[in-house]
Amino acid sequence: MKKILYLFFPLLTALCCSCAKPDVEYVKIEEMYFNQAVPTFVDEGQEVNLSSYLMILPVTVADTVSVTWNSSNEEIATVNANGRVQALREGNVTITANAQDKFASLTLRIDKVKITEFTIPAKFEVYVGSKAKFPITDVSPKGTPLYRFKWEADNDGKKPTYSEGNWYLKADEEREYTLTASVDDAEDAKCQVKFVKPSVNTLAFNPASATVEEGSSLSLVSSLQVNPTEGVDADTIKVIWSSSKESVATIDQNGKVQAIAAGKATITAKAGGKTATCTVTVTAKPGTETPDTPIDPSDPEKPEDPDVPVKPSNANGHAFVDLGLSVKWATMNVGANSPEDPGRFISWGWTSDSYYSGTDKTLPLEYDVAHEAFGGDWRMPTIEEIKELKDNCSWTWITKDRVTVGYEVKSKINGNSIFLLAAGIVDDLVHSEPCGYYWSSSISTFGQSSYAQGLKFTSGATETLNISSDHGLTIRPVLP
């Protein structure tokens, strides 16, 4: 089903405000256009930076103006907050730049590029009940989109499905067949596909948390419970170990944790198509703890006054704000370059190489796109953490840069705030007013049906709701 992104912006209104410095005047844009050197033809897979061709007059204010970019069809080409266009597939698309009450539009023709070479694996296995990205490599010309591939399967085999630039195979039952791929001028290629039962029925840590002192080690092998599929010898099952934060704790392939520094790390074990996680807390050695530093009232970054917000802190290269809640909230969405940039619109449970099809009440970390994108301890918020945000913050509908709309979400506890953009949703509905949708990591089950949960807001209301996971929503990561 074709998905259309609707981004809604309010009509521009005149704003009157008083300034602390009366000699600073608002400068209005007189003219805005693309210069004659701007390209109008782009090949599939190419990028072009249109901001370098955008002319704003008077030139004295060009560098201070905030420009909003939009694509008329994001299936043909996307454009980010900096005006960089990614050509996806053949067709015509209009790219528009808006600033104040001026705009400039350009129609780009995306030309088809024929694939001449590609490689697929000779053999490919997928565990029954899971979905895996079917690898296509060595594509020539490099960067050419893959949507034109055609597939043939013998023995009633399943064909891959295309989504967000990749092909995926979902294993429904045990079967084996030959899959043939063909595209453009390239030679056909064949792959022996096998859908196999997982060698592990369940995999879990008991207990699911552990504490170890800095400089010490700990084995997690005895805590990992492996329930193999009938007929499979547990001793033959290989476990792959990894740590989410090796600056805190590392783990070798024998399941031995080495505590590096005080903090928390998530240890992940993968075996036979299953995944389990354990939270490891590393405590500081006695006598090495850093004493709490008293708050200096004169320090603007550590205010006693809750009405004076602190500057965002940084974790793993991504800024966050402490709102005094159970988790800290990122200042930007996944894939965004600024709080006013919507970033990526993502279907629930998708990462770059996998899709979640289980029934856990909370999305496992390996399927969490916020964790994949931000790394470290970053993840998607649960629905309870979103409700906590709703209940413990004041929500003020604001317009930023005279175009961008959304909520300033200000903590009732410490006065700090974040901005949530009303970026819309990728679905088949037409919304009559600006709206925002954000995923949580939680699932709600009704009878035989399961729905992802998320946050929806308009200028007059905020609510949590259940929504089909195939819609494209924005994601705001949190930090425990």
Side-chain angles (χ1 to χ4, degrees):
M1 179 180 295
K2 186 176 182 181
K3 301 293 181 187
I4 304 174
L5 170 63
Y6 297 94
L7 296 179
F8 303 93
F9 301 98
L11 294 175
L12 299 179
T13 57
L15 300 179
C16 298
C17 63
S18 59
C19 299
K21 298 180 181 181
D23 57 321
V24 179
E25 297 182 359
Y26 170 73
V27 179
K28 184 177 177 61
I29 295 176
E30 296 176 358
E31 194 172 358
M32 185 173 175
Y33 61 92
F34 289 105
N35 65 33
Q36 294 182 345
V38 65
T40 56
F41 295 88
V42 181
D43 288 338
E44 286 179 319
Q46 286 189 338
E47 289 188 356
V48 58
N49 186 6
L50 292 184
S51 63
S52 60
Y53 301 96
L54 183 65
M55 307 301 296
I56 299 176
L57 301 177
V59 294
T60 54
V61 300
D63 292 336
T64 64
V65 172
S66 178
V67 179
T68 301
W69 296 85
N70 184 44
S71 167
S72 64
N73 191 331
E74 294 205 339
E75 291 189 348
I76 295 177
T78 60
V79 59
N80 69 12
N82 299 318
R84 182 170 292 278
V85 173
Q86 174 67 56
L88 301 179
R89 63 170 64 192
E90 181 183 16
N92 293 326
V93 63
T94 299
I95 305 297
T96 304
N98 293 275
Q100 295 181 12
D101 61 347
K102 303 295 183 182
F103 72 91
S105 293
L106 172 70
T107 298
L108 286 177
R109 171 64 190 176
I110 312 301
D111 288 332
K112 178 179 179 179
V113 175
K114 290 188 175 182
I115 294 175
T116 56
E117 293 180 3
F118 70 93
T119 300
I120 61 174
K123 296 181 179 180
F124 189 66
E125 288 191 354
V126 185
Y127 287 117
V128 173
S130 65
K131 191 171 186 176
K133 182 172 72 173
F134 189 82
I136 303 175
T137 58
D138 303 325
V139 177
S140 182
K142 187 176 180 180
T144 306
L146 308 178
Y147 69 91
R148 289 195 306 275
F149 270 79
K150 299 184 185 302
W151 306 90
E152 294 295 334
D154 64 6
N155 295 333
D156 296 323
K158 296 198 70 174
K159 299 178 183 179
T161 57
Y162 185 78
S163 177
E164 296 187 349
N166 293 293
W167 290 93
Y168 293 87
L169 266 177
K170 185 174 183 179
D172 54 351
E173 59 184 19
E174 285 187 281
R175 65 172 78 195
E176 188 170 359
Y177 61 95
T178 300
L179 188 65
T180 303
S182 61
V183 63
D184 298 337
D185 297 333
E187 184 178 348
D188 292 357
K190 297 182 181 296
C191 173
Q192 292 299 120
V193 176
K194 191 174 183 180
F195 294 167
V196 297
K197 282 186 177 181
S199 57
V200 173
N201 286 331
T202 59
L203 186 72
F205 282 100
N206 186 16
S209 61
T211 301
V212 60
E213 186 179 291
E214 181 181 356
S216 301
S217 60
L218 171 72
S219 176
L220 292 181
V221 173
S222 60
S223 300
L224 184 64
Q225 298 181 344
V226 182
N227 178 21
T229 302
E230 184 178 357
V232 176
D233 185 352
D235 293 336
T236 65
I237 297 173
K238 183 179 180 181
V239 179
I240 304 298
W241 300 86
S242 63
S243 170
S244 67
K245 201 168 188 178
E246 294 194 339
S247 60
V248 172
T250 62
I251 189 163
D252 63 21
Q253 293 309 304
N254 295 315
K256 183 179 179 181
V257 172
Q258 182 63 47
I260 306 299
K264 288 186 177 182
T266 300
I267 301 300
T268 300
K270 294 185 177 182
K274 300 294 182 180
T275 300
T277 58
C278 177
T279 301
V280 172
T281 301
V282 177
T283 59
K285 287 184 177 180
T288 63
E289 299 90 343
T290 302
D292 293 336
T293 303
I295 294 178
D296 181 0
S298 65
D299 184 356
E301 293 199 28
K302 297 178 181 178
E304 288 186 335
D305 183 356
D307 291 330
V308 181
V310 298
K311 293 181 180 179
S313 301
N314 187 285
N316 210 43
H318 300 278
F320 66 85
V321 174
D322 185 353
L323 300 173
L325 306 177
S326 62
V327 292
K328 302 174 181 66
W329 287 79
T331 60
M332 290 181 281
N333 295 343
V334 170
N337 296 308
S338 71
E340 295 77 24
D341 178 6
R344 294 166 57 193
F345 290 80
I346 307 165
S347 295
W348 191 89
W350 282 90
T351 59
S352 61
D353 61 357
S354 61
Y355 171 74
Y356 182 66
S357 58
T359 57
D360 293 339
K361 292 184 178 180
T362 303
L363 188 67
L365 198 62
E366 65 269 24
Y367 296 97
D368 189 318
V369 71
H371 178 69
E372 178 190 54
F374 279 31
D377 292 329
W378 287 102
R379 59 171 173 79
M380 293 166 62
T382 65
I383 197 65
E384 294 303 322
E385 289 161 351
I386 286 179
K387 289 178 180 178
E388 180 187 41
L389 185 73
K390 285 176 75 276
D391 296 339
N392 292 278
C393 295
S394 59
W395 293 63
T396 305
W397 188 259
I398 62 174
T399 300
K400 302 184 73 172
D401 303 325
R402 298 176 177 261
V403 175
T404 306
V405 296
Y407 272 109
E408 178 191 46
V409 183
K410 186 174 183 179
S411 172
K412 298 176 183 177
I413 299 172
N414 60 18
N416 298 332
S417 63
I418 58 174
F419 177 70
L420 292 181
L421 177 69
I425 181 175
V426 177
D427 67 359
D428 298 318
L429 304 177
V430 178
H431 300 282
S432 60
E433 58 182 330
C435 57
Y437 285 83
Y438 284 82
W439 283 127
S440 79
S441 61
S442 302
I443 304 172
S444 179
T445 302
F446 297 93
Q448 299 298 316
S449 300
S450 295
Y451 296 91
Q453 295 180 288
L455 170 70
K456 175 189 176 182
F457 58 75
T458 62
S459 60
T462 61
E463 61 178 324
T464 56
L465 76 165
N466 302 316
I467 188 168
S468 176
S469 62
D470 60 350
H471 293 332
L473 274 63
T474 48
I475 293 176
R476 180 63 61 93
V478 297
L479 192 67

